[in-house]
Amino acid sequence: MLGQQRIFSGIRPSGDLHIGNYLGAIRQWLKLQDDHPAESGIVFGIMDLHAITTPHEPEKLREATLETSLIYLAAGLDPKRTTLMVQSWVPAHAELAWVLGTMTPLGELERMTQFKEKSRALGDKHGIMSGLLAYPVLMAADILLYHTDAVPVGEDQVQHVELARSIAERFNNRYGKTFAVPAVMVQKETARIMSLDDPAKKMSKSGESERGYILLTDSPDAISEKVKTAVTDSGKEIIYDPVNKPALSNLLVVFSEFSGRPVKELERDYAGKSYVEFKAGLAEAVIAGLAPLQSKFRELERGRAGVLDILHAGSERAAAVAGQTLAAVKEKIGFLAA
Ligand code: TYM
């Protein structure tokens, strides 16, 4: 039953958030928040332990952690209905990750697509650290601590949630039912928003070019500019056809999401019109779609102290649940009670 589900998800504060994070994750979260009673247990984290698995700068991480929380609030997450927490403030995440890591075969981690991609990108310059390999185990701990039933994420995280499922099952088989086995929840249309400068790559914070992504905090001018220079496909027709027109199909999805107009309607409206006209409409829709979030963000930025109170309260609530789960785990695996 949807209304009873316990939900967990989170974002790494490793830079500014982009519209892929928004359409793939945060928008799903807002719907879940509306559909669930406050007491059902919805937790959204700012996953700073995950953010240090790739090279980072300490001051920027602190800043991004605060900014990500401001974005959560500006987007409409409501601390009265959801628990907003900072991962490193709840030590149970790191503790459970250690335990689960002792039960996760190396081979399962080495075959994770994100590990392969990220380690390839980091390899020569920075070396590959074991924390990057262990990242999905930490993510499993995040999810399992809250007896999560469903994990709303974009497509790139599906494999990690599947691993969390098998880690949960393995633990339950060995020690008796301890964890809920979480289901992955993706919004099909927006699960993989692609880069604006290369429709074969997903939109990403680590994308090489700034032109590939639209940040949630980009100015209207920056948005217009990025939309203007977004790559399109050959041919003039404005139609949704992911195989033959991947770039345009991606833009149509973004347009539809920000305008609330179905793709079919956009195709009809732009039949016979030029890419230039289409892009002008798209830029307008993104700018208007982000305007409420951006004005709320600027307002919240002025009162930063308030957000810390929200994060403290949320992390405390989260720690109470996480602590109970961890205590049960410790008992089952045979640690002497402290
Ligand atoms: P992260 O921070 O890379 O991304 C946050 C969320 O945004 C989604 N996303 C996208 N969705 C659609 N199109 C895109 N181009 C796109 N790019 C990103 C991601 O799928 C994700 O849902 N490991 C996670 C954070 C995490 C987590 C967790 C998530 C840590 N622990 C426990 C769920 C449950 C990550 O790095 O996401």
Side-chain angles (χ1 to χ4, degrees):
M1 228 187 354
L2 192 67
Q4 299 293 322
Q5 277 183 320
R6 279 159 306 198
I7 309 282
F8 184 92
S9 197
I11 295 182
R12 253 176 320 133
S14 51
D16 297 319
L17 302 192
H18 53 71
I19 59 170
N21 301 126
Y22 183 64
L23 299 178
I26 298 176
R27 281 265 290 251
Q28 270 203 88
W29 302 357
L30 293 168
K31 283 192 209 124
L32 290 164
Q33 169 180 272
D34 287 341
D35 292 346
H36 285 65
E39 64 279 10
S40 65
I42 307 187
V43 184
F44 296 124
I46 298 135
M47 314 314 281
D48 51 356
L49 299 180
H50 279 91
I52 61 169
T53 56
T54 46
H56 78 286
E57 288 173 36
E59 243 359 280
K60 282 198 179 147
L61 174 59
R62 244 185 299 277
E63 188 60 24
T65 303
L66 262 178
E67 285 210 350
T68 304
S69 3
L70 295 175
I71 292 281
Y72 280 14
L73 296 169
L77 291 177
D78 173 2
K80 290 201 196 71
R81 288 184 284 166
T82 60
T83 296
L84 305 179
M85 53 86 68
V86 178
Q87 187 187 26
S88 66
W89 292 1
V90 181
H93 289 248
E95 276 191 77
L96 181 61
W98 174 260
V99 173
L100 299 179
T102 64
M103 301 176 58
T104 308
L106 194 55
E108 286 186 15
L109 298 174
E110 282 169 340
R111 71 174 176 76
M112 291 288 117
T113 310
Q114 277 224 340
F115 172 69
K116 286 198 256 182
E117 281 172 9
K118 285 188 182 167
S119 52
R120 207 175 301 132
L122 284 170
D124 295 339
K125 252 208 281 175
H126 302 278
I128 301 156
M129 303 299 150
S130 64
L132 185 65
L133 181 72
Y135 172 121
V137 178
L138 177 60
M139 189 161 152
D142 302 335
I143 296 168
L144 301 183
L145 277 173
Y146 300 98
H147 304 295
T148 302
D149 298 304
V151 188
V153 285
E155 211 237 6
D156 60 344
Q157 298 301 321
V158 169
Q159 198 184 29
H160 294 160
V161 180
E162 280 163 0
L163 182 74
R165 286 174 65 84
S166 47
I167 291 176
E169 279 163 354
R170 197 173 297 131
F171 193 99
N172 287 348
N173 284 339
R174 181 148 171 210
Y175 295 108
K177 175 101 176 82
T178 310
F179 297 125
V181 180
V184 65
M185 193 181 250
V186 291
Q187 193 81 45
K188 204 169 102 280
E189 304 76 30
T190 55
R192 196 169 168 82
I193 301 294
M194 307 311 279
S195 161
L196 298 184
D197 61 0
D198 181 356
K201 286 200 201 130
K202 72 164 188 208
M203 186 176 284
S204 138
K205 295 181 252 214
S206 50
E208 292 102 62
S209 154
E210 281 182 12
R211 296 203 174 280
Y213 50 78
I214 294 174
L215 298 178
L216 298 183
T217 49
D218 269 346
S219 67
D221 283 349
I223 296 173
S224 293
E225 203 45 44
K226 287 178 181 178
V227 169
K228 225 178 260 167
T229 54
V231 301
T232 44
D233 310 285
S234 53
K236 282 201 248 154
E237 263 181 311
I238 294 173
I239 46 164
Y240 180 79
D241 176 356
V243 176
N244 299 307
K245 287 185 165 262
L248 200 62
S249 301
N250 185 49
L251 296 181
L252 271 165
V253 168
V254 172
F255 199 158
S256 167
E257 289 296 320
F258 279 108
S259 62
R261 292 157 67 191
V263 168
K264 280 271 163 260
E265 185 184 313
L266 294 170
E267 283 178 339
R268 260 198 320 272
D269 285 1
Y270 284 96
K273 298 205 172 128
S274 68
Y275 280 161
V276 174
E277 285 167 287
F278 171 75
K279 283 181 162 182
L282 167 60
E284 208 177 293
V286 177
I287 292 166
L290 288 179
L293 182 153
Q294 294 193 341
S295 78
K296 187 88 194 143
F297 179 79
R298 283 191 293 269
E299 185 190 315
L300 289 166
E301 251 192 328
R302 290 192 286 271
R304 282 173 168 230
V307 76
L308 284 176
D309 291 342
I310 290 171
L311 295 174
H312 279 126
S315 301
E316 215 170 283
R317 268 207 308 280
V321 179
Q324 276 183 17
T325 312
L326 185 67
V329 166
K330 286 181 174 174
E331 204 264 325
K332 290 196 180 191
I333 58 180
F335 288 170
L336 183 64

